[in-house]
Amino acid sequence: MSALWLAIPLWVVPGILTLMSVIVYRMYSHDKQRAIDGGWRVSENALHLAELLGGWPGAFVAQQRLRHKTSKTSYQVVFWCIVFVFQIASADVISGHRLIRWMLHRL
């Protein structure tokens, strides 16, 4: 199995997650300001995609600091599913990809 994400050196991951978190925080901030001004908003799909690409920590901080997207249940369900997926993926990386190997073996 030769997946691109397996080829990324582990030391690069914190930098990618930090960069994505900053980008997502700015997206939330922009969306919050547009909500206040009544302007064109950032789509929820775009926010979720950015969270899924590694920006979920920035999204969490933005939700708490900006009080944005915290009361919409459907949004929160998807957000916390993304966080859960990242936790499982992190555990898999720490365990030497045992979970993904087990799953691929079962296919």
Side-chain angles (χ1 to χ4, degrees):
M1 185 179 104
S2 176
L4 177 62
W5 61 272
L6 291 175
I8 296 173
L10 200 52
W11 61 269
V12 173
V13 174
I16 292 170
L17 295 178
T18 300
L19 177 63
M20 285 306 300
S21 289
V22 169
I23 290 169
V24 173
Y25 187 94
R26 303 253 347 234
M27 288 173 72
Y28 267 76
S29 179
H30 177 74
D31 188 53
K32 173 75 174 196
Q33 191 59 50
R34 299 301 286 193
I36 292 168
D37 298 340
W40 192 267
R41 305 279 304 275
V42 177
S43 75
E44 289 185 0
N45 287 339
L47 291 172
H48 285 317
L49 177 61
E51 294 159 1
L52 190 60
L53 292 174
W56 69 266
F60 179 75
V61 172
Q63 288 175 19
Q64 303 311 306
R65 292 192 73 204
L66 305 173
R67 301 300 304 158
H68 190 51
K69 300 288 186 188
T70 56
S71 61
K72 189 170 184 184
T73 304
S74 61
Y75 189 88
Q76 287 296 305
V77 167
V78 174
F79 172 74
W80 286 107
C81 285
I82 289 169
V83 173
F84 179 73
V85 166
F86 257 88
Q87 300 312 305
I88 297 298
S90 297
D92 188 48
V93 169
I94 291 169
S95 72
H97 301 291
R98 289 182 188 159
L99 178 62
I100 193 76
R101 287 187 188 132
W102 180 81
M103 290 170 58
L104 288 172
H105 180 72
R106 298 291 180 252
L107 292 176

